[in-house]
Amino acid sequence: MDVSQSVLARFFLRAATGEYELNQPDQLARLLVTMARHRLKSRVRWERRQVRDQRRLAVRPGVLDEVADARPSPVEVASRKELLETVKASLTQDERTIFEMRTIGMGWEEIAAR
């Protein structure tokens, strides 16, 4: 969870400054995967420097049953909706139209044809 939050926070900060120029959805996916891979490697190096070998950690039976529900909390849902509305408000009319077409499941080829 720390890795994904760290990657997303770093991505949004850099995206807000215009550091990324992404023209295709797969470019975004590759960028986020690469960022996550680098962050995870960095985290593993940090853990090893701290003499914390994750292979030696003992896990109690049934410990995964105690893990919190993976679904987002009501606060997270509200926060995401608010962020989405903020982003939508900043889009041009053409960008909003494309966004709406993607929301209903249209593919990039179909959108380009229109």
Side-chain angles (χ1 to χ4, degrees), residues 28-98:
L28 173 61
R30 284 194 314 265
L31 173 64
L32 291 175
V33 167
T34 301
M35 290 175 72
R37 188 177 297 124
H38 288 290
R39 180 66 182 113
L40 189 56
K41 287 178 183 178
S42 172
R43 182 65 186 200
V44 168
R45 283 192 302 270
W46 183 85
E47 289 287 338
R48 287 187 177 150
R49 279 195 309 269
Q50 301 297 317
V51 191
R52 295 179 184 164
D53 188 351
Q54 67 274 11
R55 294 170 291 195
R56 295 184 335 186
L57 295 176
V59 178
R60 293 181 289 118
V63 72
L64 293 179
D65 296 333
E66 300 171 13
V67 175
D69 190 350
R71 293 176 292 184
S73 70
V75 172
E76 290 172 312
V77 170
S79 176
R80 290 175 186 172
K81 284 182 180 180
E82 183 179 322
L83 177 61
L84 182 59
E85 291 304 317
T86 302
V87 169
K88 282 173 57 176
S90 70
L91 298 176
T92 65
Q93 182 58 42
D94 289 340
E95 291 169 335
R96 246 189 313 275
T97 302
I98 292 170

